[in-house]
Amino acid sequence: MSHLFKLNHIALKVNDLESTIAFYEQLFSFKYDTEIEYPTFKAVFLKSLYEDNFKLELVVFNDKGNTTNDSTWDHICFETNDFDGFISSISSSMYKQELNTTVNNLGNRSVIINGLNNERIQVLEKSR
């Protein structure tokens, strides 16, 4: 496989956004970068001061009954310069999965796949 991948972000679902931001800023040298507000949740991105382009995505839901035990929001994200090639390789490999490609607000495509241990992996098209 000749696709280039790099780590883009790790997403964590959290209950207390402000305390979690302070925790990662104080202990691991992350700083606030951006946030996106959705109807049911907010995603806040913290950027590492020491690792270029690496971010933590902290996801907090508006509904307090939605607990962090829902692992669908915890994932690792890799960025690729060959999104179509990756999709083709997954579709033809022994790890065939139903793929649901989405497009973000910047026009980049992404897909979530399940790893061999049911871990969630997002593959994001490199920003143009």
Side-chain angles (χ1 to χ4, degrees):
M1 190 178 305
S2 63
H3 316 299
L4 172 66
F5 294 97
K6 73 175 197 173
L7 185 60
N8 183 278
H9 70 266
I10 296 175
L12 304 171
K13 188 175 167 214
V14 303
N15 288 323
D16 183 339
L17 186 59
E18 290 74 23
S19 294
T20 305
I21 290 171
F23 174 81
Y24 282 101
E25 285 180 341
Q26 292 172 15
L27 290 179
F28 298 103
S29 300
F30 280 86
K31 292 295 176 200
Y32 174 89
D33 186 54
T34 57
E35 67 183 63
I36 304 170
E37 188 83 37
Y38 295 95
T40 58
F41 69 95
K42 179 193 294 191
V44 173
F45 291 87
L46 304 179
K47 186 173 185 174
S48 171
L49 294 181
Y50 300 108
E51 197 63 44
D52 288 345
N53 299 316
F54 175 64
K55 296 181 182 179
L56 282 177
E57 176 186 8
L58 305 177
V59 177
V60 65
F61 281 81
N62 301 339
D63 176 9
K64 297 299 181 196
N66 197 333
T67 69
T68 57
N69 293 334
D70 179 1
S71 65
T72 60
W73 288 95
D74 295 330
H75 67 270
I76 187 169
C77 177
F78 292 101
E79 185 178 288
T80 182
N81 63 342
D82 185 8
F83 188 80
D84 292 321
F86 173 75
I87 294 297
S88 177
S89 69
I90 282 291
S91 298
S92 64
S93 77
M94 62 187 272
Y95 306 111
K96 290 182 182 175
Q97 297 181 26
E98 184 176 325
L99 301 176
N100 182 19
T101 301
T102 59
V103 179
N104 68 16
N105 58 343
L106 301 175
N108 304 104
R109 298 172 294 171
S110 75
V111 66
I112 303 255
I113 65 169
N114 291 319
L116 293 179
N117 300 288
N118 213 28
E119 67 273 20
R120 296 179 53 79
I121 305 163
Q122 178 183 22
V123 178
L124 177 66
E125 181 177 35
K126 182 177 176 166
S127 297
R128 301 173 212 182

